[in-house]
Amino acid sequence: MTRPGIIAFAKDWHEDPTSNHHVLRELARTRRVLWLNSIGTRTPKLSSDRDLGKIRRKLGEVTRGPINVENDLWVFSPVVLPLPHSAAARRVNQAILRATIAGLRWRLGLEDFHLWTFLPNVADYVGLLGESLAVYYCVDEWSMFAHLDRDETVRAESALLAKVDCVFAINSELAEAKRPLNAATYLAPHGVDHALFAGALDDATVVPADIAALPRPVIGFYGTLRDWVDLDLVAHVARARPSWSIALIGQQLDDVGAIAGLANVHLLGRKPHDLLPAYCKGMDVGIIPYRIDERMKFVNPIKLREYLSAGLPVVSTAVPEVRRYAHCCAIAETGDEYVAAIERALAEDSAAKRRERSTSMAAETWPNRVASIAHIVDGAAKTKRGARSEKRR
């Protein structure tokens, strides 16, 4: 039997890879997947160059139609009114998306499809687009993001949870938080592209020139520089050990004043995902310097498994999900503890330990994770088909 296709509300395809990318790319190996670029979780700011850039890009993309980016994965940017808190705009968007999806289904042959969402604000569309099943893949506690309206986000996500057939949450705390609103909630921890990141251990992998030029040891981090990255902690480490080079790789989307003027902190900018293993090879320690707050218990850093797959010793703040890997990571709660933990990691590291860390991640791959998810979804679809057949009798 041909597997149903998937139409998915996700973030923007061109942005740094997250679980949206890893999960849908894997699913597209065995079925047709239509990725819908973000319909927005907030009203854009016309004073923001980033928001204006997104608007211009999406208007250009919509005229091109769906693009096949790899395997059977297609990407399209739907046009909707960017007013998520307006009831009138939501009604207009329902009509726009129903017509848009109908056309895309005909064009791509998606007669039977499952509707997936990685966004919390699409309850208005569940049940209206012709899907045979609806899935919510919950990647974070959205209501705790500073740039989103907390009450409206809770309302929107609660409505979504009441409508979908199954929910996947990326850690235990997030699953427990969603299960009271949808009993069919399952734990779906992140995976890793182990083969890619294990390339950091390959003698043939060339360390990029910008990080190779830094004095050793190199203490590295990659990821978007947002408010959850504790740059005060990074500054403390830099001042405590001026002979260390601290390399921060990623797009700057928050104030970096805390590290301004520190000669041994190097902002290397955003890098292509496929180059990250080579950057890991240029690091002596990988760090996860996240601020510990209420939201952090719902976070599952993908970079944790990537660092380990690359063989890196890892030093993190007390992120609950990282604590689960305390057997292969160091956890530090104060600035001085962080410095000491990095020193121990540097002193105790070896080629053998790097291979051990990498091997420990070999089973935690995205194909394995997605296979488990797909098995649950297929079971839910079979149960739903059975219930419909029984009802028609």
Side-chain angles (χ1 to χ4, degrees):
M1 186 178 76
T2 302
R3 286 178 164 173
I6 293 172
I7 297 178
F9 292 105
K11 62 180 288 186
D12 286 347
W13 166 257
H14 78 283
E15 294 182 358
D16 291 335
T18 62
S19 54
N20 295 219
H21 294 79
H22 296 300
V23 171
L24 293 177
R25 292 175 78 174
E26 188 60 34
L27 288 167
R29 296 179 188 277
T30 57
R31 68 206 82 195
R32 178 154 292 179
V33 175
L34 175 60
W35 172 305
L36 300 177
N37 278 330
S38 175
I39 60 170
T41 52
R42 60 176 176 81
T43 302
K45 295 180 180 178
L46 298 183
S47 59
S48 166
D49 289 340
R50 184 168 180 258
D51 285 1
L52 288 174
K54 279 189 173 185
I55 292 171
R56 285 192 293 269
R57 187 184 66 255
K58 288 187 178 184
L59 289 175
E61 289 170 348
V62 72
T63 61
R64 295 197 295 268
I67 303 297
N68 183 209
V69 292
E70 63 179 52
N71 294 319
D72 210 358
L73 177 59
W74 299 73
V75 175
F76 180 73
S77 290
V79 171
V80 294
L81 299 178
L83 301 169
H85 305 329
S86 164
R90 292 204 304 270
R91 286 193 294 272
V92 171
N93 287 341
Q94 283 179 318
I96 292 173
L97 272 175
R98 284 186 76 173
T100 299
I101 297 302
L104 291 168
R105 288 178 63 191
W106 175 82
R107 184 169 178 174
L108 295 176
L110 288 167
E111 182 177 350
D112 182 20
F113 77 98
H114 296 167
L115 182 67
W116 284 53
T117 180
F118 293 78
L119 305 177
N121 62 328
V122 301
D124 291 342
Y125 313 118
V126 176
L128 295 182
L129 303 180
E131 72 275 9
S132 58
L133 193 82
V135 176
Y136 177 32
Y137 194 104
C138 184
V139 299
D140 216 317
E141 185 48 78
W142 291 92
S143 65
M144 293 182 181
F145 279 86
H147 63 283
L148 299 180
D149 181 305
R150 183 167 186 144
D151 291 342
E152 178 59 26
T153 302
V154 169
R155 182 207 66 76
E157 189 184 53
S158 296
L160 176 65
L161 288 163
K163 285 187 171 184
V164 296
D165 297 287
C166 50
V167 179
F168 296 96
I170 53 87
N171 73 11
S172 298
E173 287 79 3
L174 199 57
E176 290 303 315
K178 307 309 170 188
R179 193 166 286 118
L181 296 174
N182 189 311
T185 295
Y186 304 90
L187 174 63
H190 286 323
V192 66
D193 188 339
H194 183 265
L196 176 67
F197 280 87
L201 301 176
D202 190 335
D203 291 340
T205 299
V206 177
V207 177
D210 52 357
I211 196 168
L214 301 179
R216 307 296 286 262
V218 175
I219 314 306
F221 167 86
Y222 61 77
T224 306
L225 298 178
R226 298 291 298 259
D227 55 354
W228 52 80
V229 179
D230 191 345
L231 294 182
D232 292 316
L233 174 60
V234 173
H236 177 90
V237 174
R239 291 191 181 98
R241 295 296 182 270
S243 64
W244 294 354
S245 295
I246 299 178
L248 304 180
I249 297 166
Q251 191 176 13
Q252 298 176 42
L253 295 181
D254 203 59
D255 180 23
V256 295
I259 54 174
L262 294 173
N264 60 331
V265 178
H266 307 272
L267 296 168
L268 302 186
R270 185 182 179 190
K271 306 297 179 183
H273 184 258
D274 287 351
L275 280 183
L276 292 179
Y279 276 91
C280 286
K281 186 174 180 179
M283 300 175 188
D284 295 286
V285 176
I287 58 171
I288 305 177
Y290 285 175
R291 297 185 185 278
I292 302 303
D293 56 19
E294 184 185 8
R295 173 180 164 257
M296 205 48 58
K297 68 182 179 180
F298 302 111
V299 167
N300 190 337
I302 291 179
K303 65 177 60 62
L304 167 64
R305 294 168 180 81
E306 292 174 344
Y307 283 165
L308 292 171
S309 293
L312 282 173
V314 178
V315 177
S316 176
T317 49
V319 178
E321 187 64 25
V322 180
R323 282 190 178 279
R324 301 182 195 278
Y325 290 79
H327 59 285
C328 54
C329 301
I331 310 295
E333 300 193 15
T334 69
D336 289 342
E337 287 179 2
Y338 216 85
V339 172
I342 294 173
E343 285 184 324
R344 285 194 301 274
L346 291 169
E348 297 170 1
D349 195 23
S350 67
K353 286 190 174 183
R354 290 197 170 214
R355 288 192 297 272
E356 287 175 11
R357 292 186 197 104
S358 183
T359 301
S360 73
M361 293 292 107
E364 299 199 23
T365 63
W366 285 111
N368 286 347
R369 298 296 200 215
V370 173
S372 297
I373 292 167
H375 178 73
I376 294 170
V377 172
D378 289 345
K382 182 178 180 180
T383 299
K384 193 169 185 178
R385 285 195 302 270
R388 286 172 178 161
S389 299
E390 188 67 29
K391 191 174 182 180
R392 287 195 292 268
R393 289 178 183 175

